[in-house]
């Protein structure tokens, strides 16, 4: 037993590939591209890395590969690093980030590379749906339940119980698409109107196609080191019930509030301190539920804030300035890392065209499955 | 920045399922069974867990599942735990263990459950071979190279360069099978003779079927806590070249020596201190190479020690008392955890029928791929 300080790491480099419907590059190439950009941004050589964490949900199913960490350390020349891969369904990216931060807290590393990526286009849509669906609780899955169907039930309950209009959901999609028009890395760099959202194909009533994130290819990376302009002041994970039927209410995503409380407590910040947020808007209703779970708005009221424009780029709490999962895209293992990349750009004042004014404290939430496993990260300048 | 002590965790509970050719239980059931046994052994309730780490290599490919950590926390009722899954090819189990230990070093947890498991029998042999083969470097794989073929090249070079007889390899299989006859959890609880090894079907000259580990189903678990009779005094990972062709010699597994040096240095032990070892004998030749990489024997001499019986149960350095991958079996994600389980039984004096006398310091090595990613763990009483 020896005394030593606990060090919160800094983020000294970020990078990502464009998120697209179908990338020409292989998954390994996507991971390497994002990693190389983050290392270049950090001005750190791969040979100086102590740890490489790869976040990937299902390369075995999508591209028939295991052992991505070995391939990446080799192609980067990260000869001094230990390496492995983290998987936590759709919260994989943030789980990899948490793991990198925790290695820092353990005092075992000085330079860490976290890379999240996925290539979902390598299989057809039916297979891709099956892979994503495999994360639903087995019994619920056997009854034909899918993630969109959970979201549809939650959205329906949200509108009815809180007396919210349909356009409250649409406003989330409209905002995130608008934000993405200024993000060269986004999959959909096009705006949509509420009318377009509401006339898009029905997926799970009341949710329509434009309420749902796409499937995507892409990768994102961050480099952690002892000193830098952006500090990782809190990262925490938490689980909730796996079976959604076991929850007291379909409108609660308790893993988000648990992870949020832990992370903000460690960071010593309150919701009032937060200047910008990247939330897990896999479905529009989730952005509203997470705002409430994190304590930004009382239960049942986030929709009013959304309609008032408070979560817009010029609002009190800009949410998903990079377009979110909805419009930037959702390459599963990449998303949690891409959220951090976007927040770093915001905190550095480098988010040209979508920059949030005076951003000093930022929060990200990455959610696994339908809310049974969430990671919350707090970054500060 | 605040001062606090770095705590090496203790292992307070262990458990595993039988390793078998084809389990009736599902992968989730195997993980739950091992976990429940370890928690029971630890007398710790699942609700007291802070972190659940699942080690699994390829559930997406073998059983079409992602998100094992969510299912396991739910079935165990580990409502307070955060959770995710670690993958590092055949070193997955030890990587999950390392991750659990590191969370301890980070000071973020008090009770941690690490569970490794795999169900390889859910697919046919051809598919299983393809999944395992996916971890070979892409270019080498494209030339038809497999893990057994690397091992065959290494075994051939070992015998020729060091003037060792074929029976040196066979002696590893004979010993490990003999050890497994006293292990109720082992897949092969039967002894073999050198003549049987040497007349078994040729796999990759000079390696024969009985030089190679089987494919297996099974799971193993450990519980970490602040205080207990077995201390985790060192765990470290390291990578080497992914492409075997890039190595200076096919007889070097540098990731093993790097990880070994880091782990023993942290633990403050030398090879002379080690009383018992669990090495990664996926192929007989690997046990010899790892003994040399870890500094137990000078390069090119481990075979002589093996023939002298030094690595037998009554020898100076008993290796793989539980039967190793060769005879206990090798359910990929389970193996690294099962090595720790066996060593805990040895250190507690509970390894009835295969107990190493006066074991106080133990070492495990779990190797990913053909040596490109290794984890070394040191346990002491």
């Amino acid at each position: 037993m020896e005394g030593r300080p606990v060090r919160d790491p800094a983020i000294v480099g970020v990078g990502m590939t464009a998120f697209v419907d179908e990338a020409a590059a292989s998954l390994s190439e996507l991971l390497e591209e994002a990693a190389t950009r983050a290392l270049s941004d950090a001005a750190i050589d791969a040979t100086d890395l102590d740890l490489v964490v790869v976040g990937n949900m299902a390369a075995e199913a999508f591209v028939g590969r295991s052992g991505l960490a070995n391939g990446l350390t080799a192609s980067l020349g990260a000869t001094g690093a230990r390496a492995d891969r983290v998987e936590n369904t759709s919260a994989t990216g943030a789980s990899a980030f948490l793991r990198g931060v925790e290695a820092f807290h353990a005092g075992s590393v000085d330079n860490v590379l976290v890379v999240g990526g996925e290539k979902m286009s390598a299989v057809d849509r039916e297979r891709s749906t099956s892979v994503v669906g495999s994360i639903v609780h087995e019994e619920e899955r056997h009854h034909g339940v899918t993630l969109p169907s959970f979201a549809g039930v939650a959205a329906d309950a949200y509108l009815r119980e809180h007396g919210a209009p349909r356009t409250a959901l649409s406003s989330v999609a409209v905002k995130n698409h608008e934000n993405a028009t200024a993000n060269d890395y986004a999959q959909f760099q096009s705006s949509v109107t509420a009318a377009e959202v509401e006339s898009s194909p029905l997926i799970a009533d009341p949710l329509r196609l434009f309420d749902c994130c796409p499937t995507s290819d892409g990768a994102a990376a961050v480099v952690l080191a002892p000193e830098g302009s952006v500090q990782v002041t809190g990262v925490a994970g938490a689980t909730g019930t796996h079976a959604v039927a076991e929850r007291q209410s379909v409108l609660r995503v308790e893993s988000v509030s648990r992870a949020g409380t832990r992370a903000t407590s460690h960071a010593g910040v309150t919701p009032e301190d937060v200047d910008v947020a990247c939330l897990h808007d896999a479905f529009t209703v989730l952005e509203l539920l997470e705002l409430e779970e994190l304590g930004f708005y009382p239960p049942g009221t986030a929709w009013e804030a959304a309609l008032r424009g408070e979560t817009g780029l010029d609002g009190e709490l800009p949410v998903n300035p990079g377009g979110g999962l909805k419009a930037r895209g959702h390459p599963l293992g990449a998303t949690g890392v891409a959220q951090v990349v976007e927040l770093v750009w915001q905190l550095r004042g480098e988010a040209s065209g979508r920059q949030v004014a005076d951003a000093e404290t930022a929060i990200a939430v990455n959610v696994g499955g339908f809310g049974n496993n969430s990671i919350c990260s707090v970054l500060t300048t």
Side-chain angles (χ1 to χ4, degrees), chain A residues 56-112:
Chain A
N56 169 266
M57 177 173 142
E60 291 81 2
F62 288 126
V63 299
R65 280 284 306 275
S66 284
L68 294 169
N70 295 336
L72 186 64
T73 52
S75 63
L76 293 175
T79 49
R82 59 189 167 96
D84 55 27
R85 164 232 193 169
V86 171
E87 179 265 321
N88 194 12
T89 69
S90 37
T92 289
S95 286
F97 179 68
L98 184 157
R99 199 272 167 86
V101 172
E102 190 157 52
F104 232 91
H105 290 164
S108 62
V109 295
D110 281 321
N111 296 306
V112 172

Side-chain angles (χ1 to χ4, degrees), chain A residues 175 178-179 275-276 308-319 321 346 353-357:
Chain A
K175 167 181 69 66
E178 184 61 30
N179 290 348
D275 302 310
V276 56
R308 283 196 302 269
E310 285 185 25
T311 55
L313 273 188
D314 298 326
E316 284 182 40
L317 178 67
V319 175
Q346 291 289 340
R354 61 184 192 281
Q355 179 65 47
V356 172

Side-chain angles (χ1 to χ4, degrees), chain A residues 264-265 267-277 295-296 316-318 347 357-363 378-381:
Chain A
T264 54
S265 162
V269 302
T270 64
E272 290 71 37
D273 298 321
V274 176
D275 302 310
V276 56
F296 289 116
E316 284 182 40
L317 178 67
L347 292 172
D358 304 322
E360 295 178 355
T361 301
I363 196 167
V378 180
L379 312 181
T380 54
T381 52

Side-chain angles (χ1 to χ4, degrees), chain A residues 10 62 99 107 116 149 152 162 180 207 228 247 258-259 278 288 301 306 311-312 317-318 334 351 374:
Chain A
F62 288 126
R99 199 272 167 86
S149 65
H162 303 317
L207 295 181
R247 295 180 197 169
R258 286 181 193 162
C278 282
L288 302 178
T301 69
T311 55
L317 178 67
S374 299

Side-chain angles (χ1 to χ4, degrees), chain A residues 1-23:
Chain A
M1 307 267 283
E2 53 182 293
R4 63 166 174 73
V6 178
R7 300 178 301 175
D8 281 326
I11 300 176
V12 299
V14 296
M16 58 185 286
T17 70
F19 283 6
V20 296
D21 182 52
E22 191 172 344

Side-chain angles (χ1 to χ4, degrees), chain A residues 25-325:
Chain A
S26 71
L27 173 60
S28 296
E29 289 165 343
L30 292 171
L31 294 171
E32 188 177 346
E33 181 181 339
T36 302
R37 289 180 180 187
L39 287 167
S40 169
D41 185 43
I44 283 182
D45 197 87
T47 55
D48 291 324
L49 292 171
D50 303 306
L51 170 64
V52 174
V53 186
V54 175
N56 169 266
M57 177 173 142
E60 291 81 2
F62 288 126
V63 299
R65 280 284 306 275
S66 284
L68 294 169
N70 295 336
L72 186 64
T73 52
S75 63
L76 293 175
T79 49
R82 59 189 167 96
D84 55 27
R85 164 232 193 169
V86 171
E87 179 265 321
N88 194 12
T89 69
S90 37
T92 289
S95 286
F97 179 68
L98 184 157
R99 199 272 167 86
V101 172
E102 190 157 52
F104 232 91
H105 290 164
S108 62
V109 295
D110 281 321
N111 296 306
V112 172
L113 172 68
V114 179
V115 192
E118 207 81 43
K119 180 157 178 158
M120 303 175 71
S121 70
V123 297
D124 63 25
R125 185 57 53 98
E126 187 180 353
R127 174 87 177 114
S128 161
T129 301
S130 165
V131 174
V132 175
S134 82
I135 69 183
V136 172
H137 189 282
E138 281 183 50
E139 286 190 25
E140 295 183 323
R141 189 184 184 195
H142 288 164
H143 286 89
V145 177
T146 62
L147 293 176
S149 65
F150 281 136
V153 169
D156 181 57
Y158 192 88
L159 298 184
R160 282 189 296 101
E161 292 191 19
H162 303 317
R166 171 63 176 87
T167 193
L169 300 175
S170 315
S171 74
V172 173
V174 170
K175 167 181 69 66
N176 292 351
H177 269 267
E178 184 61 30
N179 290 348
T181 61
N183 185 354
D184 290 343
Y185 295 91
Q187 185 167 350
F188 301 132
Q189 298 174 38
S190 53
S191 54
V192 296
T193 65
E196 284 170 323
V197 174
E198 289 155 23
S199 62
S200 64
L202 195 63
I203 300 294
D205 194 25
L207 295 181
R208 293 176 176 269
L209 184 63
F210 284 13
D211 288 291
C212 309
C213 66
T215 60
S216 316
D217 293 351
V222 302
V223 178
L224 301 168
E227 305 289 341
S229 60
V230 175
Q231 291 290 119
V232 185
T233 46
V235 186
T239 54
T241 69
H242 191 196
V244 175
E246 291 173 5
R247 295 180 197 169
Q248 287 193 310
S249 163
V250 73
L251 297 181
R252 287 301 312 278
V253 194
E254 291 183 347
S255 64
V256 170
S257 64
R258 286 181 193 162
T261 300
R262 291 176 190 173
T264 54
S265 162
H266 186 274
V269 302
T270 64
E272 290 71 37
D273 298 321
V274 176
D275 302 310
V276 56
C278 282
L279 303 185
H280 194 98
D281 58 327
F283 305 99
T284 48
V285 67
L286 281 179
E287 182 169 313
L288 302 178
L289 293 178
E290 291 161 31
L291 282 167
E292 297 172 6
E293 291 292 350
L294 291 167
F296 289 116
Y297 301 102
T301 69
W303 66 272
E304 295 171 303
L307 287 179
R308 283 196 302 269
E310 285 185 25
T311 55
L313 273 188
D314 298 326
E316 284 182 40
L317 178 67
V319 175
N320 287 324
L325 285 64

